[in-house]
Amino acid sequence: MALMKVKFDLKKRVKLAQMLWLMYWFSIMAGVLVFSMGLFFKIELRKRSELMDNNESHFVPNILIGVGLLACFLNACGGKICYDSLDSTKFVKWKSILKPFLICCLFFNFLLIVTAAMCFAMRIPLEFTLAEGLKNGMKYYKDTDTPGRCYMKRTLDLMQIEFRCCGNNNYKDWFEIQWVSNRYLDFSSKEVKDRISSNVDGKYLMDGVPFSCCNPSSPRPCIQQQITNNSAHYSYDHYTEELNIWKRGCRDALVSYYGGMMNTIGILVLMVTLLQIAVMIGLQYVNTSLSTLVNPEDPESESEGWILEKTVKETFTDIMANMKAMGKGNQVDEEANEEAVATVS
Amino acid sequence: MTSIKFLFCNLNFSLSSILHFFLSSMVLLKIKFPFQKRVRLAQGLWLLSWVAMFSGAITFAIGVFLKTELHRRSEVMHSMDIHIVPNLLMAVGLASVGINICAGKVCQDSLDTSRFPRWKTFLPPFFCFSVFITSLLLVAMILSFALQPSLEESLKIGLKNGIRFYKDTDTPGRCFQKETIDRLQIEFQCCGNTNYRDWFEVQWISSRYLDFTSKEVKDRVRSNVDGRYLLDGVPFSCCNPASPRPCIQYSLLDNSAHYNYEYQTEELNLYNRGCRQALVSYYMGLMNTIGPCVLFDFLLQMTILVSLRYLQTAMEGVIGQENVEIETEGYILEKGVKETLLETKEKVKKLLQFAQVGDASATTPGTQPDEEKPATA
């Protein structure tokens, strides 16, 4: 018994082919969309590759780009097949490759599902990469005279302004590193000498943050220096002060930004997968309905269409049997060869 | 001497006679239209009217975009004069969509002589209206350049107020000025109105955060007539992220307050540009980009109107004839420019006279019964 058998007359066949042709056009546009999403994601990763230590994996956007291009190609072929299916003379040349083409589409759909899963799963390695990258980035904030790192200050400042965040986990990360370059420190002053002698590594540490941590929504002018010292500023209590600087850490901000982007892309890829499965089933119906014409000479005769010739179980056992037979066939060949070799020698 | 005078007089006379001939007699820019040419004109015009419809929709979208951009910064603009440019673009865009739909319909009907006559009375006022609407596009373009001084003045006053009310984060109605100015300076990479020194002349730190018992504050407040806390410092939003050193916001003019610092040569510490100049060049850039699109729409629209006029006049020669495939003439104006103007003036006079006579006849019935009454009495 066939799976989901449907009777087809000429009108129904024509309508199916036309609808499928239109759906293939939509699928081509969907393929272009997936390609452009992959490209966009790749560009976004490149833009902030400095913050990820130039270490980020471009695997997912590359897969998206490849899948998008492949989808466009497969759907264009499918559309051409549908267009030709209305004319029996043109359809003959496609008949032989239709079954392998459908199997290709099946594998392609599996690939799409895997891609969507990877989009959702990429969040975790990205989080680790960002944590490392931001920590190192903050270390090189002051090195504006070192070639290769001279733009780190600008990158970090612009990122903190754009994503409304401060530091790696929070603003206190700035207290643990020296972010003011030695070129701008007066080593003859007492204050500088005290700070340097106060820690083992001889770093100039202070309870201050760069200006890019400032929150414009704050009602008072930004307090960047001596943040934990309540007496240094009039009417200031750093425990209750909420709006002065950004509270969020940049790792959280960036992960949620990229995570949101990847979730959206993943959902889009799943929707494209559904569309692809639908067109694949439609093409199978077109294929079967055109190959089971009651009267092969008369194009207006009735026919039947199905998804699978036998039930799922039977089809599966058939495939297994085929594979076994192929495997046995190889073994028999090898034994025959060995015997031949044995007899010759 | 007399020969030169004679030559000059001759030239003058001949030029004026040519002009007189051109303006007063004959039709304007006559073209012959055989049947095939008419059909092709109608078909081409129908297609062109679809293109112009999209072009009109794009003009509308451009107007909406420009209005949104102007509205986003409306807090730092004092007057709304410049909004006339996007308003005109939106109105003309919508009107031209309607005009082009009508033009397309006229073209469709012109291929069928039985359906064309119903447009006869509708078309002349339609042309006047369309030419007027299309010329508004040119007006919008001219205004976008002419209103630049007005925009600059409006921004000057708006920014001055914004900087003045920067500290008033507790006054309702002004509490968002600080955030607006900070975000503006960060986004447009500018500082102050003309430059960063504008911040030195204003108290931008609220008195709520000043310790009036400290000597420094008391000195500063006493140093000027109005009792304001002025300092040579700027808000954090003036800081330039591209600077190699951490931002210096306070004591900007005091070289000794910072190690290895000289304010005369320090270039990258703060943004050098003033916000007024930044915003004006941003908006002028927008309008310069929009200009060619609007010009293209104007030319397209005028082409369609001229072609439609030719089609109309060519079709008028066909109406009433039995053989549809005869050759007819098309023109822009039936008589010369001067004569057409005189005719329109006569028509308008008649209309006004008719209106006046209508008023007079409305009043006379009231006087007549009075005259009759004394006669009978």
Side-chain angles (χ1 to χ4, degrees):
Chain A
M1 213 168 38
L3 190 63
M4 295 182 90
K5 211 193 291 204
V6 177
K7 279 210 185 302
F8 281 100
D9 58 345
L10 179 72
K11 232 169 134 191
K12 220 167 168 182
R13 276 203 300 273
V14 168
K15 217 188 271 181
L16 174 70
Q18 285 173 338
M19 203 176 66
L20 205 59
W21 184 79
L22 201 68
M23 276 175 81
Y24 265 118
W25 270 109
F26 281 126
S27 308
I28 290 178
M29 286 197 280
V32 169
L33 186 69
V34 169
F35 169 77
S36 53
M37 297 252 86
L39 205 63
F40 168 71
F41 191 31
K42 197 172 172 78
I43 292 173
E44 280 292 309
L45 281 177
R46 283 295 238 144
K47 255 166 67 174
R48 316 212 186 266
S49 62
E50 280 177 322
L51 301 168
M52 303 190 211
D53 242 3
N54 288 321
N55 204 3
E56 77 279 12
S57 156
H58 280 247
F59 184 59
V60 171
N62 289 341
I63 289 262
L64 280 170
I65 289 171
V67 158
L69 286 174
L70 197 60
C72 284
F73 174 68
L74 283 176
N75 290 325
C77 287
K80 188 89 183 66
I81 293 174
C82 280
Y83 191 69
D84 285 347
S85 72
L86 294 167
D87 183 356
S88 49
T89 47
K90 284 192 196 163
F91 187 68
V92 172
K93 58 177 179 175
W94 291 110
K95 253 189 162 113
S96 48
I97 62 167
L98 206 49
K99 197 152 185 223
F101 180 74
L102 279 167
I103 294 176
C104 264
C105 284
L106 189 67
F107 281 126
F108 178 67
N109 288 333
F110 276 129
L111 184 65
L112 274 175
I113 294 176
V114 165
T115 309
M118 277 202 293
C119 280
F120 290 121
M122 194 182 161
R123 200 191 180 106
I124 299 163
L126 193 70
E127 195 161 340
F128 286 119
T129 319
L130 273 171
E132 264 310 298
L134 279 171
K135 207 162 69 168
N136 290 337
M138 281 166 61
K139 256 200 310 181
Y140 304 142
Y141 184 86
K142 63 180 182 359
D143 297 335
T144 46
D145 52 349
T146 315
R149 297 181 200 159
C150 48
Y151 285 114
M152 189 50 86
K153 177 184 179 292
R154 181 155 158 243
T155 309
L156 270 178
D157 279 335
L158 288 174
M159 182 201 60
Q160 289 191 148
I161 290 173
E162 187 182 337
F163 286 93
R164 307 185 184 191
C165 59
C166 188
N168 202 345
N169 295 316
N170 54 37
Y171 64 91
K172 300 200 191 190
D173 297 322
W174 288 107
F175 298 172
E176 297 159 17
I177 59 161
Q178 178 181 349
W179 54 272
V180 183
S181 176
N182 287 336
R183 290 175 287 155
Y184 308 117
L185 292 172
D186 182 9
F187 284 94
S188 53
S189 94
K190 185 180 178 302
E191 187 243 339
V192 175
K193 280 195 267 200
D194 278 345
R195 283 197 189 271
I196 289 184
S197 49
S198 73
N199 64 88
V200 185
D201 308 308
K203 289 190 285 185
Y204 180 81
L205 302 177
M206 53 177 187
D207 54 348
V209 292
F211 79 93
S212 43
C213 282
C214 289
N215 184 354
S217 310
S218 164
R220 79 184 288 171
C222 188
I223 292 170
Q224 298 170 239
Q225 318 286 347
Q226 296 175 299
I227 292 176
T228 49
N229 184 0
N230 284 348
S231 56
H233 314 280
Y234 183 68
S235 177
Y236 173 70
D237 182 3
H238 83 272
Y239 294 112
T240 55
E241 190 69 41
E242 291 263 308
L243 290 173
N244 185 38
I245 50 178
W246 301 118
K247 288 277 177 231
R248 200 154 74 142
C250 286
R251 191 179 67 227
D252 276 344
L254 280 169
V255 164
S256 65
Y257 171 69
Y258 280 114
M261 199 192 301
M262 286 189 288
N263 283 346
T264 317
I265 294 178
I267 290 172
L268 253 155
V269 171
L270 279 177
M271 282 168 40
V272 170
T273 315
L274 288 174
L275 186 62
Q276 288 292 136
I277 290 175
V279 293
M280 187 179 73
I281 290 176
L283 192 64
Q284 169 72 337
Y285 270 119
V286 166
N287 178 28
T288 47
S289 68
L290 281 173
S291 46
T292 60
L293 286 169
V294 172
N295 183 1
E297 299 301 311
D298 177 19
E300 293 193 18
S301 57
E302 282 196 354
S303 62
E304 284 178 346
W306 55 73
I307 297 181
L308 290 173
E309 200 166 351
K310 300 163 189 148
T311 59
V312 184
K313 222 175 168 183
E314 283 175 18
T315 320
F316 193 60
T317 44
D318 269 357
I319 293 174
M320 293 303 282
N322 272 345
M323 282 171 73
K324 266 192 202 158
M326 253 201 296
K328 255 194 196 160
N330 279 342
Q331 278 185 353
V332 167
D333 276 344
E334 280 175 21
E335 282 176 17
N337 278 342
E338 279 181 24
E339 279 181 23
V341 168
T343 47
V344 163
S345 65
Chain B
M1 218 40 197
T2 47
S3 57
I4 294 172
K5 244 188 178 174
F6 178 73
L7 202 65
F8 182 69
C9 282
N10 222 358
L11 206 63
N12 209 357
F13 176 76
S14 47
L15 270 174
S16 60
S17 64
I18 289 172
L19 208 63
H20 188 256
F21 174 79
F22 181 70
L23 285 178
S24 64
S25 68
M26 311 288 249
V27 298
L28 193 65
L29 296 173
K30 213 180 348 180
I31 297 182
K32 284 206 184 305
F33 278 104
F35 178 65
Q36 270 300 336
K37 207 171 173 182
R38 267 206 309 275
V39 168
R40 224 172 277 163
L41 175 68
Q43 286 172 337
L45 198 56
W46 183 81
L47 205 67
L48 210 60
S49 72
W50 272 104
V51 174
M53 207 173 75
F54 280 121
S55 171
I58 288 174
T59 308
F60 174 74
I62 286 174
V64 168
F65 168 70
L66 193 61
K67 195 161 175 79
T68 320
E69 281 295 307
L70 283 170
H71 190 73
R72 264 172 74 188
R73 313 276 163 210
S74 58
E75 287 164 323
V76 291
M77 283 195 223
H78 185 68
S79 75
M80 309 278 274
D81 282 348
I82 192 80
H83 279 247
I84 193 166
V85 173
N87 289 344
L88 267 179
L89 286 177
M90 287 199 289
V92 170
L94 277 180
S96 75
V97 169
I99 287 171
N100 288 315
I101 290 177
C102 279
K105 260 235 141 279
V106 170
C107 288
Q108 255 185 327
D109 285 349
S110 72
L111 294 168
D112 181 1
T113 41
S114 56
R115 285 162 69 181
F116 188 75
R118 64 181 176 166
W119 293 106
K120 210 173 147 74
T121 46
F122 171 72
L123 279 175
F126 171 75
F127 277 120
C128 294
F129 175 70
S130 316
V131 169
F132 171 68
I133 291 281
T134 313
S135 57
L136 282 181
L137 277 177
L138 268 186
V139 169
M141 266 176 63
I142 293 170
L143 274 180
S144 74
F145 289 109
L147 285 177
Q148 186 185 343
S150 157
L151 175 71
E152 194 159 342
E153 192 60 34
S154 154
L155 279 171
K156 188 173 179 183
I157 300 173
L159 281 169
K160 198 165 81 150
N161 288 339
I163 291 173
R164 224 159 23 120
F165 303 142
Y166 185 87
K167 65 177 181 355
D168 297 333
T169 46
D170 53 347
T171 314
R174 297 183 200 159
C175 47
F176 285 110
Q177 285 285 14
K178 177 182 180 293
E179 193 177 343
T180 308
I181 296 281
D182 277 334
R183 289 203 195 280
L184 187 77
Q185 292 192 144
I186 290 175
E187 188 177 332
F188 284 88
Q189 300 180 345
C190 58
C191 187
N193 202 340
T194 319
N195 56 31
Y196 64 89
R197 284 170 197 259
D198 297 319
W199 289 106
F200 299 170
E201 299 157 14
V202 165
Q203 177 182 349
W204 55 272
I205 301 181
S206 176
S207 301
R208 289 176 286 153
Y209 309 117
L210 293 171
D211 183 10
F212 284 95
T213 56
S214 94
K215 185 179 178 304
E216 188 245 338
V217 174
K218 279 196 270 199
D219 279 345
R220 283 196 188 274
V221 167
R222 266 201 297 257
S223 71
N224 65 89
V225 184
D226 308 310
R228 291 180 293 169
Y229 181 79
L230 304 177
L231 69 160
D232 54 348
V234 292
F236 78 93
S237 43
C238 280
C239 288
N240 187 355
S243 162
R245 80 184 287 172
C247 188
I248 293 169
Q249 295 175 240
Y250 298 105
S251 309
L252 282 166
L253 302 176
D254 184 3
N255 283 348
S256 57
H258 316 278
Y259 182 67
N260 192 11
Y261 171 69
E262 211 180 276
Y263 77 88
Q264 292 98 335
T265 54
E266 189 68 40
E267 290 258 310
L268 288 172
N269 186 39
L270 306 171
Y271 293 125
N272 288 318
R273 211 157 58 144
C275 286
R276 188 177 73 232
Q277 191 213 341
L279 280 167
V280 165
S281 53
Y282 171 69
Y283 281 119
M284 282 301 121
L286 262 185
M287 295 206 218
N288 285 341
T289 321
I290 287 172
C293 302
V294 171
L295 188 66
F296 172 73
D297 189 33
F298 168 76
L299 291 173
L300 190 63
Q301 202 61 49
M302 284 312 277
T303 314
I304 285 182
L305 288 175
V306 166
S307 312
L308 193 66
R309 175 70 180 161
Y310 272 121
L311 186 66
Q312 178 209 7
T313 46
M315 285 306 290
E316 270 171 12
V318 176
I319 293 172
Q321 304 275 358
E322 287 194 359
N323 179 15
V324 197
E325 302 197 6
I326 54 169
E327 189 176 289
T328 49
E329 283 182 347
Y331 46 80
I332 293 186
L333 290 173
E334 193 168 353
K335 301 170 185 135
V337 179
K338 220 177 177 181
E339 286 186 8
T340 319
L341 281 174
L342 284 170
E343 264 189 31
T344 352
K345 227 164 72 178
E346 291 293 312
K347 272 197 202 155
V348 171
K349 257 194 209 165
K350 263 202 212 152
L351 264 173
L352 285 174
Q353 262 184 10
F354 186 70
Q356 277 185 359
V357 166
D359 281 348
S361 60
T363 50
T364 41
T367 52
Q368 277 200 359
D370 287 330
E371 286 175 7
E372 280 182 18
K373 270 198 194 148
T376 49

